[in-house]
Amino acid sequence: MKASDLFVRALEHEGVEFLFGIPGEENLDLLESLRGSEQIQLILNRHEQAAGFMAATYGRLTGKTGVCLATLGPGATNFVTSAAYAQLGAMPMLMITGQKPIKSSKQGQFQIVDIVEMMRPLTKYTHQIVSGDSVPSRVREAFRLAEEERPGAVHLELPEDIACEQTDTPLFPKDRVRRPIPEEKAIAQAATLIEEAQSPLLLIGAGANRKRTSKMLFNFIRDTGIPFFTTQMGKGVVDERDPLFLGNAALSANDPLHCAIDRADLIINVGHDVVEKPPFFMEPDGLQVIHINFSSASVDPVYFPQLEVIGDIGNSIWQLLLRINRQKTWDFSYFAKVKKWIDEIRAVGNDDPGFPIAPQRLVADVRRVMPDDGIICLDNGVYKIWFALNYRAHEPNTVLLDNALATMGAGLPSAMAARLVEPDKQVMAICGDGGFMMNSQELETAVRLGMNLVVLILRDDGYGMIKWKQADMGFADWGLDYGNPDFVQYAASYGAYGHRVGAADELLPTMRECLAAPGVHLIEVPVNYAVNQDLLEKELACPE
């Protein structure tokens, strides 16, 4: 068979359901082979970056490798941001790109870029396939590395002349790999540290947002009674309505949550990765930290744990729970006082009638309308911090935000991927007007695919996050304002339904109406970010 036929069979063998992307001339053999697949659905995008975001989000939600396709040159270079998004965010993703014939080409250097070398610092694995016979081994290796802890991005380049080669090489069987379990001595030392602590706290990070960890962590919290907080990408691993949930470390310092962190003498850090903004700053001779993760800690000036428990997180927590007993010496009374104080702070503004709408009211209304298993997909902007702080996640992977690369433009494509993976759940994209316009053309893709999807556009006519930092640094408000289209008409031009909120009390019923209706619905909501400065300027006065 042709190497391109074998390539598609290898993808099918790996369980691929969707292939996101934009084919080019150099992919036509692969495209023709894909046409014969009864398993893989081609999702034709309008920009390669969006295709990469969708593939990465598929990987994030399923734990299986998301796959995307682009041609050579400009198509492949458009994958760069998506590659970094998946790599930093630990999302398994395979990028397939085309290339001119490598054995004989009559087009000189036209469109030629060394994509393999370009991808090297952005991926776990990148390789140009130079023989049809090597397709099975290269595809198997790419999938293995993409999904192996720590997951990330991989890349394969399939040149045009290799794609049409004849080959009879058989496929490689999928290997079964069990994650290594932690060392018994490390478990014993961690258990001792926890039992000897006076006021331990549990931190849940992005690495815990994997299968099989949520139940173990819930049992650990229930049986030990140790309070917990999360990083932004650890939201929802344990239901945040739990009475022992203190809050989210969306800010590295000067947030009410740090009143509790500063009183802890031990942090049990489960799944945190230094690619996320630090949830706290370690200092020499400060609090002790136990690092529990699939891989060892990347030592950083603000993160240098004294003990590491390396191996499957779920197994680590299970083993710890077998060894640890509740200690009468543990004192969580101050944490309870801080929790009550934080809950009161987070309730302020939830019913603010002002318009343009206040961020706190916006977050509260989204929480009111979304079911427990509903998925919100956040683009990047200052509103992301408000959602991290104020939105209580009820289930794992129901708040998809990016606190690793923190790229704009990912919100809409991520929501589209979530809709494909979870067709029976309510899905909402939440985007600033700036981030939305970076990949707004994917509205056509969503409409063409017949998706039921709500897109909330938060309009402030400027790059609000940068304006916030600009003001904090004492600079003049300059250079960050722009114009916007009429979003209602813009949505309609793609065949979607456009809605504009004109008062705070209109948001909740509009969202309910759109979530209950079929089709793609875009809701424009003007937002007032005047309260942003409170996040930085309020003097932190902890309870006594």
Side-chain angles (χ1 to χ4, degrees), residues 165-413:
E165 274 188 358
Q166 294 295 308
T167 178
D168 59 0
T169 307
L171 295 175
F172 274 63
K174 291 179 65 174
D175 52 343
R176 295 181 180 180
V177 179
R178 289 187 61 84
R179 293 166 173 158
I181 61 173
E183 182 192 31
E184 186 177 353
K185 288 183 180 179
I187 291 288
Q189 291 174 15
T192 299
L193 278 178
I194 294 169
E195 288 188 337
E196 291 179 349
Q198 296 297 310
S199 300
L201 269 181
L202 176 68
L203 169 63
I204 300 175
N209 232 333
R210 308 268 207 279
K211 293 179 179 179
R212 297 185 297 274
T213 62
S214 178
K215 183 178 179 181
M216 291 298 175
L217 281 165
F218 171 78
N219 291 341
F220 183 87
I221 292 163
R222 178 197 61 196
D223 292 354
T224 64
I226 297 175
F228 71 100
F229 66 106
T230 68
T231 67
Q232 291 187 41
M233 294 178 73
K235 287 184 69 65
V237 174
V238 177
D239 191 336
E240 293 178 357
R241 292 170 294 186
D242 191 292
L244 292 173
F245 174 66
L246 297 184
N248 183 267
L251 300 173
S252 297
N254 203 39
D255 180 81
L257 177 61
H258 290 89
C259 293
I261 295 171
D262 291 345
R263 287 287 188 97
D265 59 347
L266 174 69
I267 301 289
I268 308 162
N269 195 346
V270 180
H272 173 56
D273 194 318
V274 293
V275 298
E276 278 208 78
K277 185 175 289 188
F280 58 86
F281 297 130
M282 290 187 67
E283 296 179 359
D285 303 319
L287 58 75
Q288 289 190 303
V289 174
I290 301 173
H291 174 91
I292 302 176
N293 212 328
F294 297 105
S295 54
S296 59
S298 298
V299 174
D300 185 91
V302 298
Y303 187 63
F304 40 90
Q306 292 90 348
L307 176 63
E308 300 189 35
V309 179
I310 307 304
D312 180 82
I313 288 177
N315 185 275
S316 298
I317 298 301
W318 174 70
Q319 287 198 56
L320 279 173
L321 192 52
L322 291 177
R323 289 176 175 264
I324 294 174
N325 295 308
R326 283 198 191 212
Q327 300 296 303
K328 293 180 180 179
T329 53
W330 286 344
D331 182 5
F332 302 133
S333 57
Y334 185 73
F335 297 157
K337 185 182 295 186
V338 171
K339 174 182 169 52
K340 184 174 183 295
W341 179 52
I342 290 174
D343 288 347
E344 291 171 354
I345 291 171
R346 299 296 171 232
V348 173
N350 287 357
D351 297 303
D352 189 333
F355 194 80
I357 199 165
Q360 303 98 309
R361 173 67 182 270
L362 170 78
V363 174
D365 280 358
V366 172
R367 181 65 278 179
R368 287 166 180 143
V369 79
M370 292 299 288
D372 287 354
D373 64 353
I375 300 172
I376 61 169
C377 302
L378 294 154
D379 209 287
N380 268 278
V382 69
Y383 55 87
K384 183 184 78 172
I385 296 177
W386 286 106
F387 272 91
L389 292 172
N390 287 18
Y391 187 91
R392 294 289 177 91
H394 298 168
E395 296 186 10
N397 282 318
T398 55
V399 178
L400 301 189
L401 54 75
D402 170 23
N403 193 38
L405 184 65
T407 177
M408 297 173 69
L412 174 58

Side-chain angles (χ1 to χ4, degrees), residues 486-527:
D486 183 317
F487 285 116
V488 173
Q489 293 186 32
Y490 188 75
S493 71
Y494 284 110
Y497 301 94
H499 311 264
R500 181 175 293 111
V501 171
D505 289 342
E506 294 179 8
L507 177 59
L508 192 62
T510 301
M511 290 191 295
R512 282 186 176 140
E513 174 189 335
C514 293
L515 285 167
V520 178
H521 292 262
L522 184 150
I523 306 171
E524 176 191 328
V525 189
V527 180

Side-chain angles (χ1 to χ4, degrees), residues 431-450:
C431 310
D433 44 9
F436 171 74
M437 290 303 294
M438 289 186 178
N439 275 310
S440 63
Q441 73 283 343
E442 296 302 328
L443 279 179
E444 188 279 327
T445 309
V447 170
R448 173 167 29 92
L449 294 174

